[in-house]
């Protein structure tokens, strides 16, 4: 290469190299801005979907709380705990059985006295509600949902952690996700006489949450406050805290 050609190439590089650097820098900047914009849009979209899912959960809990309030202030129950109308017992049973069948979301509706003993329990029984016989009623004084509910003032509600139903000390099989919502009951003299409690079938809640998310073309996963999967990437990872499996968590 001649000296003249070398000088020409140096001048050419001196002219175009800064332009090339500027073009590359501009391209990187525009790409970064586009990436940040897309990232923001994606995050906003995902947060909106999550918000809808969370709202579906909140709506369900509020609806169940309204039903519990109705049960706790029901005239027939107040008459019974005030010992004004024992003859109203059968009418109360029929009302609870009708509510159980119509709603279709309560695995159990219960009246529990101050000692933790069930006085009335209606089981949903897959759409065929029945009153549990007196000899099969259980004492629930050791259960946390009773201890927490019975301490509450009038008009307050207890909402249990989301877990699996336990009957006679064993996790029910097939699994039955459950949330228990209770409220204290008071007689006409203002004396606390126990609690009313509903076992809300959590499968419905998970279904509504999943529907909100899946319809938005996303995957619906849910964890509790300890990081255990309630609805996870694999079925075998779900409800790890119920089976004392700390590895089945985030």
């Amino acid at each position: 290469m001649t000296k003249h050609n070398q000088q020409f190439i140096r001048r050419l590089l001196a002219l175009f190299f800064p332009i090339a650097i500027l073009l590359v820098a501009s391209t990187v900047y525009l790409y970064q801005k586009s990436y940040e914009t897309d990232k923001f849009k994606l995050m906003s979209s995902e947060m909106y979907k999550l918000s809808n899912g969370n709202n579906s959960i909140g709506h369900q809990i509020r609806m169940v709380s309204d039903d519990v309030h109705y049960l706790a202030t029901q005239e027939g129950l107040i008459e019974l705990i005030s010992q004004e109308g024992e003859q109203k017992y059968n009418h109360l049973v029929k009302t609870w059985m009708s509510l159980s069948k119509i709603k279709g979301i309560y695995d159990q509706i219960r009246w529990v006295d101050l000692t933790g003993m069930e006085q009335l329990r209606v089981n949903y029984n897959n759409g065929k509600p029945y009153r549990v016989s007196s000899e099969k009623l259980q004492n629930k004084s050791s259960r946390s949902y009773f201890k927490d509910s019975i301490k509450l003032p009038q008009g307050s509600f207890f909402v249990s952690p989301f877990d699996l139903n336990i009957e006679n000390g064993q996790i029910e099989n097939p699994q039955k996700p459950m949330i228990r919502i209770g409220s204290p009951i008071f007689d006409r003299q203002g004396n606390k006489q126990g609690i009313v409690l509903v076992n809300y079938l959590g499968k419905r809640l998970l279904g509504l949450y999943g529907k909100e998310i899946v319809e938005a073309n996303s995957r619906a996963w849910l964890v509790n406050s300890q990081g255990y999967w309630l609805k996870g990437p694999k079925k075998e990872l779900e409800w790890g805290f119920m089976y004392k499996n700390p590895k089945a968590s985030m």
Side-chain angles (χ1 to χ4, degrees):
M1 184 180 295
T2 66
K3 185 176 180 180
H4 176 74
N5 288 338
Q6 290 176 349
Q7 291 176 343
F8 174 75
I9 291 173
R10 282 197 293 269
R11 291 195 190 99
L12 196 63
L13 289 174
L15 177 64
F16 287 103
F17 189 70
I19 296 175
I21 292 295
L22 182 61
L23 287 173
V24 170
S26 298
T27 302
V28 169
Y29 173 77
L30 291 173
Y31 171 79
Q32 186 67 25
K33 290 294 289 183
S34 176
Y35 170 79
E36 291 295 333
T37 300
D38 290 343
K39 180 181 176 181
F40 176 78
K41 289 180 180 178
L42 179 61
M43 290 183 66
S44 297
S45 174
E46 293 301 306
M47 290 300 294
Y48 177 75
K49 297 168 191 174
L50 286 173
S51 177
N52 284 344
N54 291 338
N55 287 339
S56 71
I57 292 175
H59 174 74
Q60 285 296 300
I61 298 300
R62 286 191 295 272
M63 180 193 70
V64 177
S65 297
D66 287 343
D67 286 345
V68 172
H69 175 72
Y70 161 73
L71 293 168
T73 58
Q74 195 176 4
E75 186 64 23
L77 178 60
I78 293 176
E79 287 182 359
L80 282 173
I81 63 177
S82 301
Q83 299 180 343
E84 295 177 354
E86 294 296 330
Q87 71 277 10
K88 298 288 185 179
Y89 184 85
N90 288 334
H91 177 71
L92 184 67
V93 171
K94 291 178 181 178
T95 302
W96 283 21
M97 289 177 65
S98 295
L99 179 68
S100 175
K101 187 171 185 176
I102 291 169
K103 289 286 186 173
I105 57 175
Y106 301 130
D107 188 54
Q108 296 178 359
I109 303 175
R110 287 181 278 181
W111 159 25
V112 183
D113 69 17
L114 287 170
T115 70
M117 188 66 198
E118 294 176 336
Q119 293 297 319
L120 173 60
R121 171 154 54 104
V122 170
N123 285 359
Y124 177 59
N125 191 35
N126 294 317
K128 299 178 181 178
Y130 69 92
R131 177 180 67 85
V132 176
S133 59
S134 57
E135 63 270 13
K136 292 185 178 180
L137 296 176
Q138 303 173 34
N139 190 293
K140 300 295 184 179
S141 59
S142 64
R143 302 300 297 272
S144 60
Y145 55 76
F146 171 75
K147 293 177 180 179
D148 290 333
S149 297
I150 199 66
K151 294 185 295 186
L152 295 175
Q154 192 167 12
S156 298
F157 299 93
F158 164 77
V159 181
S160 75
F162 201 178
D163 59 17
L164 299 177
N165 196 48
I166 294 177
E167 283 296 330
N168 299 312
Q170 299 293 324
I171 297 174
E172 196 168 350
N173 190 28
Q175 292 177 347
K176 192 180 283 186
M178 200 72 64
I179 298 176
R180 297 159 196 85
I181 298 183
S183 185
I185 53 177
F186 294 79
D187 62 22
R188 295 205 192 280
Q189 288 71 45
N191 300 312
K192 188 179 294 183
Q193 296 294 344
I195 65 170
V196 291
L197 189 80
V198 298
N199 285 20
Y200 173 74
L201 290 165
K203 185 177 180 180
R204 173 183 173 86
L205 190 72
L206 292 173
L208 290 171
Y209 176 79
K211 185 173 181 289
E212 288 286 346
I213 303 296
V214 170
E215 284 185 351
N217 297 317
S218 294
R219 286 177 290 181
W221 294 350
L222 197 65
V223 296
N224 67 9
S225 58
Q226 286 76 46
Y228 284 97
W229 298 102
L230 305 178
K231 185 175 179 62
K234 295 180 181 179
K235 189 72 175 176
E236 56 268 26
L237 291 176
E238 296 173 353
W239 310 106
F241 64 99
M242 295 294 299
Y243 298 99
K244 295 179 172 51
N245 181 14
K247 293 183 179 180
S249 71
M250 292 183 67

